Amino acid sequence: MTDWTAWTRGRGGALAGAAVVTALLLSFHGSVPNGVGGLGSLLESFLPWLGVVVVVLLVLALVRRSALALGALLLPAAAWTYLFGGLLLPAPEPGSEDLVVVQHNVGDENTDPAGTARALARAEPDLVALEELVPPALEVYARTLGPDYPYRAVRGTVGLWSKYPLSGSRALDIKPRGIEEAWERGLRTVAHTPRGDVAVYVAHLPSVRVGASGLASSRRDESASLLGDALAAEELRRVVLLGDLNGTVDDRALRPLTDALNVAERGLALSFPARFPLARIDQVMARAGTVGAIRTLPATGSDHLPVAARVRWH
């Protein structure tokens, strides 16, 4: 039996079928229903990881010496490359006019707020957005960041530190129904930068839970919709959104945001959980601007990794 014959046998049908299913999930993830257990959003939260499935199937196809499976694997490989390949390309050269931002959920149990603040400042951003600010850590962040970032706006547990003057700071009403306790997790302010005024939104959307019944995300979804309404009503042309959105940019629940704002063109920047990041739920988005690249910063005392990005205005 020749090697060619071994490779052209009709074996590997199961692997080929798995490859086709993977390609369909990548290409038509929006068709996966969300009505039962939030399956659509759950899939979209981890969509890039289907690339690992492709690699596993490739290894199995090589072991099986199945030309059929190898041919079928071209479908999911092409779909994954189309969706995520651009994120792996080199970042554009930094520009002197770029707005540099850092976004970080600092964690309400962070035991080293001063060290966290210093680590974020080392990235030399223009804006620093923080979530899960709780006393007395808030005072530590204010004291540590203050010398380099003299302007700040804090509402509830979210805050923004800026190199540039801020005005018009106010809380955002993104509180979903059913939450009775005090809950302030959004703010809007205007940063007066050398490149012009920018409306800056900082938000921390409700957490989601994955259990036996699937994905529980109704409060997150409602809060995302309220935030989308606020962004749609924003009169300033230039907008940047920084926050822990508890969802990836592929998750349909964030469409009120991703349909209106540009997301990062380069970088995966998986940010949660910090010890073994599986998804980027800490986001930087912009209107009238391009988020050219996003990257993670070294771990702090939080269960999230910080992310940094450069925004280039149109």
Side-chain angles (χ1 to χ4, degrees), residues 44 154 186 190 204 258 268 277:
E44 289 162 342
V154 177
V190 177
H204 183 192
T258 55
L268 288 172

Side-chain angles (χ1 to χ4, degrees), residues 25-300:
L25 290 174
L26 283 164
S27 302
F28 302 104
H29 56 87
S31 299
V32 177
N34 232 6
V36 180
L39 288 179
S41 283
L42 185 60
L43 169 66
E44 289 162 342
S45 296
F46 301 101
L47 201 60
W49 288 97
L50 287 181
V52 175
V53 176
V54 176
V55 172
V56 171
L57 291 175
L58 173 61
V59 172
L60 293 175
L62 291 172
V63 170
R64 292 278 294 168
R65 303 180 73 183
S66 171
L68 175 64
L70 286 174
L73 278 167
L74 293 175
L75 297 174
W80 192 95
T81 301
Y82 175 78
L83 289 173
F84 304 111
L87 297 176
L88 304 180
L89 295 175
E93 289 295 320
S96 60
E97 299 298 307
D98 294 352
L99 183 72
V100 183
V101 299
V102 160
Q103 148 60 29
H104 192 27
N105 179 328
V106 294
D108 56 7
E109 297 181 355
N110 191 327
T111 59
D112 185 20
T116 297
R118 288 192 294 268
L120 302 179
R122 280 195 287 271
E124 300 183 345
D126 300 306
L127 304 176
V128 179
L130 305 181
E131 298 83 45
E132 293 198 8
L133 293 169
V134 293
L138 172 57
E139 289 73 20
V140 178
Y141 289 113
R143 185 169 61 249
T144 309
L145 292 171
D148 294 320
Y149 300 91
Y151 308 99
R152 65 170 172 152
V154 177
R155 296 294 184 275
T157 58
V158 301
L160 180 75
W161 276 258
S162 172
K163 287 185 176 180
Y164 310 118
L166 302 175
S167 68
S169 302
R170 58 178 172 82
L172 281 177
D173 183 10
I174 57 172
K175 179 178 176 179
R177 291 165 294 182
I179 296 179
E180 302 299 332
E181 65 271 18
W183 198 93
E184 280 190 272
R185 290 168 56 164
L187 72 82
R188 181 264 188 194
T189 189
V190 177
H192 302 284
T193 79
R195 281 80 73 184
D197 291 351
V198 178
V200 184
Y201 286 71
V202 182
H204 183 192
L205 301 189
S207 299
V208 300
R209 295 288 183 266
V210 180
S213 60
L215 186 72
S217 64
S218 59
R219 286 182 172 177
R220 188 275 313 266
D221 300 350
E222 182 182 351
S223 193
S225 180
L226 293 170
L227 180 56
D229 292 341
L231 289 164
E234 174 57 55
E235 296 181 354
L236 280 181
R237 176 174 173 268
R238 291 178 172 176
V239 175
V240 63
L241 168 63
L242 309 166
D244 172 4
L245 304 185
N246 273 302
T248 70
V249 296
D250 301 301
D251 189 335
R252 68 192 67 180
L254 297 192
R255 283 180 186 165
L257 312 178
T258 55
D259 283 351
L261 305 175
N262 297 319
V263 301
E265 296 182 345
R266 299 287 186 270
L268 288 172
L270 306 181
S271 65
F272 182 83
R275 290 187 176 183
F276 189 82
L278 295 173
R280 185 176 82 239
I281 62 175
D282 296 274
Q283 307 294 352
V284 176
M285 304 181 190
R287 186 173 77 190
T290 299
V291 185
I294 190 167
R295 61 188 175 93
T296 54
L297 300 177
T300 67

